[in-house]
Amino acid sequence: MPQNLRLDKVGYINRDKKISFKFNGKKYFGYEGDTLASALLANGIHLIGRSFKYHRPRGFTGAGVDEPNAHVQLYSGAKTEPNVIATTVELVEGLVATSQNCWPSVSFDFGAINNLLNKFFPAGFYYKTFMWPKNFWYKIYEPIIRKAAGLGVAPLKPDPDRYEHKFEYCDVLIVGSGPSGLAGALAAAKNGARVILAEDKPRFGGSLLTDEVTIGNKKGKDWVDETISQLKSMPNVIVKNRSQVFGYYDHNMMVMSERTKDHVENSTEFTPRQKLWYIRAKEVIVSTGSIERPLVFGNNDRPGIMLASAAKEYMKVYGVLVGKKPIIFTNNDSAYDTAIEFKKNGIDPLVVDIRTNSESSVVQEAKNLNINIKFSHGIVNSKGYLRVNSATVGKLNDDRSGYESLENISCDCICVSGNWTPTVHLSSQSGNKLKFDEKINAFIPSKSRQNESTIGSANGSFTLKKSLEDGFSKGYELSNKITAKNIKGTTPTSNERNYAQHDKFWCMPLPKNKYYKRCVDFQNDVYVSDIELAVREGFRSIEHVKRYTTLGMATDQGKTSNLNGLQLVSNIENKIVPEVGHTTFRPPYTPVTIGAIVGREVGKHYRPTRKSPMHEWHEQNNAVFVDAGLWVRPRYYKQENETLLEAAKREATNVRKNVGVCDVTSLGKIDIKGPDCAEFLNRIYTNAWMKLPVGKARYGVMLREDGIVFDDGTTTRISENHFHMTTTTAQAVNVLAHLEYYLQVVWPELSVNVLSTTEQWAGAALAGPNSRNLLNKLFPEIDVSNEAIPFMGYKEANLFGVPARIFRISFSGELAYEINVESGYGIFMWEKIIELGKEMNIEPYGTEALSTLRIEMGHVAGSEIDGRVISSDLSLEGMLSKKKDFIGKRSLNREAFINPNREKIVGVVPLDKKSMIPEGSHLVSDNKASLPNPKLGHISASCWSVEYNNPFSLAILKDGKNKIGEKLYAVSPLKNKSIEVEIVSSHYVDPKGERVRS
Amino acid sequence: MLEIKCPYCGKRSQNEFSYGGDASVKRPQLGKETSDKEWNDFVYFRNNPRGKHSELWHHVAGCRQWFKVLRNTATHEIFKTSKISEEL
């Protein structure tokens, strides 16, 4: 199969190392240093895929990230990656690639029927055609269109690779290692700045890899190698290849993805595939170079038609001839480099130049080499279905509206050049407003908004001399600003070809009665006719034209097509390009693997896990866990084949009958100290705090300034100026920030300090009639009687040598205590409780039993304090002090808050005493009423009441207190249930609260 | 991601901070009679300027201090940061 397309001795590939790979099931060979693209081209393969919409055969257009066509799917299974640009894939042994968007094969693609029908699929076709019937879109049209149009197939399994994140700071970040970038890096580094140089490609040097230039009497590539090794030897410099800086964010935050695995042969599963760098740079030099624009002519999208610079790169970097009968089609001088390179390698190119003549040295050099040049000519059309085999070349008439003559010339590739577009993506992302440069017919950066400097061809300077000068002076200037050093080098002398002015003509007219497709956006199948249609239909804003035609919206973000599209719109509208403007450049510059963005925060590492010190004990005792925010808490302790409900009933019953113990470590705990503590609490909570005695706890409710209940909990006075506050698990973080806000911002005159101690204390709640007996065993030295530790009492005591805090507080409604010890003693405390409680039939209980106990007692929790209720909705109006002001009090006389029909908390029992009512069910008076059925309230929490052995729920019900005794329906369309219920008091068990005080 | 200079800790990345709204809002004094309008303005109404905006930030993953930031809401440029007790 070798086709002798590989040149001897030319290029930077390693000919000693042959590499085998598979493309569309067939085995091929390339060399180390090849890309998938260069290896395929060396094997004579141009046809690589099918276009997005019309399934037209497509080949390689570029040689780097600008490539719009050459997408492949790499590998298979979990490792598969769709939409990879073949021009950026480094060849490794065993690489497997397949073509995308074609069936049954790339050379015979059934979908190509779209191409024959293309008259019926112009821009906006989908919008106009699939409008009706309305419900057909989801069911019929969209699935079919999605199947026919598209790119690769996303992997269905989790990504097996690892991705790392890295944070870095530097003085000067240089993006791009072409001549200006290298010069900038060298100057800044020599002047003492901390420098990062980032190059997207595996090889450093940019245009110096392919241009015939000398710098300081060295060949361009040699100067690159020497400069890179010099930079690498400096301790203040980080040099990175295979690293794409894809986003320029606020305050000079640059994000870069480094490829660290795919090109490595002996990687392990632990080798990160990519590293995402977050770089905060004091100064950024954007030296990202430029991208060649295609010329537009009939059927300009066939395989074998590519950018002239790409053809040159394949020859000079990879030693690959992209064809043996090339036509070079250009409107400028740079394409002559490509022609000369062909000629030097024994291939006779034909140059078709739109211009009438050019006097530059490079054209003279081509003439001297006897290269055949046709001035005032252009390519009108190309032929050849799966690969170009001939071109229709026309002599342009004087006003360039048509042709004086046409001839057919056979060829096997067409190398086009429509001049160069500066790569201004990063500059524009930084907030730099671009300006249009008439001379090069493209946008360049103007005024920087951040610390960004764009130099070299990215700034529209296309000579080597200017690029080097700008690089050295910018590198010095920026580093001087930071280091204040004055080490200034001299710019080396350089030699280069000179290039004359390009011709702005770039879109070939159609000959009479010919309607060739002229492609503008290769990846999204946007043709000249589509853009003309959009303008004809009244789309004026370039952003609208973009969205209507999808011009520049593909994965390549229109790197090769945007400017041609703009020029076309401006031509049609008879405007100049700057009036048309340009679409917004947004990150990322090139597609980024989702895995790289996520990094290591996948699976259980998605967020931190908080565990109590007793977690292992729970695990060993068959706990089934549940997430409570970041905390992992035991939901129930499973015995044999119990269900969740059975276990919750068993655990809750044991609390009501004997004694249970619950891990309450996750409860928010805040230590409050200072002489103004009581005054502060008085302002924060709705009830009075000034007279709380030392050694006593009090239940409190906090409001937001708008009057809505924020959180609740108990706070204990440890000593005169020392309080211990508890919050709900869910709001712990927010309550602390809330307290800090009022102390630091609103009332800085209060002398109070707050500190989260949630993780410093392990907590265990003992609940049930036997809890006092158990407490007595745990603390035999102290008096635990009702008089010594009354309800809401507090005592410090000694748990077999461990200092402990005892709070007599109850969430279950039973006689209960909460014991806190320092976290490190948590497991000691827990095991002691279990050991000494054995004779009282102690059982641990989880959050499900905890909920059961609080629901049947009518205690509110997060499901009732849902950000919509005020104190009186929860029957907590008795806690609103009339004597003092507090946060949110002024809001409570709002009209909506004093409305007597407001929703109130009530209890709900199903009439059949059997059916569990789904949480979230709506309460309605008529379950058969037509929709929308007026909602009277909703079920906030449900449990199986162990006290009465029937289901019980809490609900927030409109005018609830007056509805007690009424019969309503709880309906849950989600669970398809409708249950007849009776409204009862929310205090279902022990309404007088005698047990907690017993 | 913004880079914010905490007056206590120095320059840190935005992900250490949380935003706390308009710094010019003054809470009416406790216990003082306030009109409905005054209270309504305090609880609900905020200016939403394009340009300079003095605002509160909280260094939640750092020193846990609230402080003031003068920021351009259009460009994210930060002109100055200061402690609560200082003039911005």
Side-chain angles (χ1 to χ4, degrees), chain A residues 975-989:
Chain A
K975 298 267 167 75
N976 201 19
K977 279 196 173 157
S978 173
I979 300 163
E980 200 173 4
V981 298
E982 186 187 347
I983 306 304
V984 298
S985 160
S986 58
H987 300 293
Y988 197 43
V989 173

Side-chain angles (χ1 to χ4, degrees), chain A residues 251 705 744 885 890-891 894, chain B residues 27 31 36 39 44 66 76:
Chain A
H251 297 183
E705 291 286 15
Q744 296 171 26
D885 198 1
R890 176 65 179 82
S891 292
R894 284 170 56 185
Chain B
R27 193 195 189 281
D36 283 351
W39 185 257
Y44 296 105
W66 287 85
H76 292 311

Side-chain angles (χ1 to χ4, degrees), chain A residues 813-948:
Chain A
E814 294 297 328
L815 169 67
Y817 302 88
E818 199 180 305
I819 308 173
N820 281 4
V821 293
E822 279 177 41
S823 297
Y825 294 113
I827 188 65
F828 171 81
M829 165 182 71
W830 188 268
E831 284 178 340
K832 268 282 177 240
I833 292 170
I834 297 289
E835 180 197 323
L836 298 175
K838 208 160 250 170
E839 58 184 85
M840 293 154 215
N841 294 324
I842 193 165
E843 275 182 26
Y845 64 101
T847 56
E848 204 64 25
L850 185 80
S851 296
T852 298
L853 296 166
R854 74 97 185 164
I855 292 168
E856 58 177 6
M857 279 291 167
H859 288 169
V860 296
S863 48
E864 286 75 39
I865 304 176
D866 62 358
R868 294 180 292 182
V869 294
I870 57 172
S871 296
S872 59
D873 301 352
L874 302 177
S875 299
L876 294 171
E877 59 270 34
M879 301 209 33
L880 298 171
S881 167
K882 292 196 174 69
K883 291 181 186 151
K884 56 142 194 175
D885 198 1
F886 51 83
I887 290 171
K889 188 179 192 183
R890 176 65 179 82
S891 292
L892 295 178
N893 57 12
R894 284 170 56 185
E895 213 172 298
F897 286 177
I898 51 176
N899 184 340
N901 295 330
R902 274 193 72 84
E903 300 185 335
K904 293 267 153 97
I905 187 165
V906 292
V908 176
V909 178
L911 289 192
D912 66 4
K913 303 276 174 107
K914 286 201 303 251
S915 306
M916 284 286 278
I917 308 169
E919 291 174 350
S921 296
H922 282 192
L923 291 168
V924 297
S925 56
D926 177 4
N927 65 340
K928 302 231 160 50
S930 60
L931 298 173
N933 194 348
K935 172 196 158 194
L936 303 173
H938 72 274
I939 302 292
S940 61
S942 290
C943 72
W944 187 279
S945 164
V946 290
E947 186 84 9
Y948 295 100

Side-chain angles (χ1 to χ4, degrees), chain A residues 592-610:
Chain A
V592 184
T593 304
I594 296 286
I597 295 168
V598 176
R600 294 292 294 275
E601 291 163 21
V602 286
K604 66 176 181 173
H605 300 299
Y606 173 63
R607 51 184 200 172
T609 305
R610 300 175 84 180

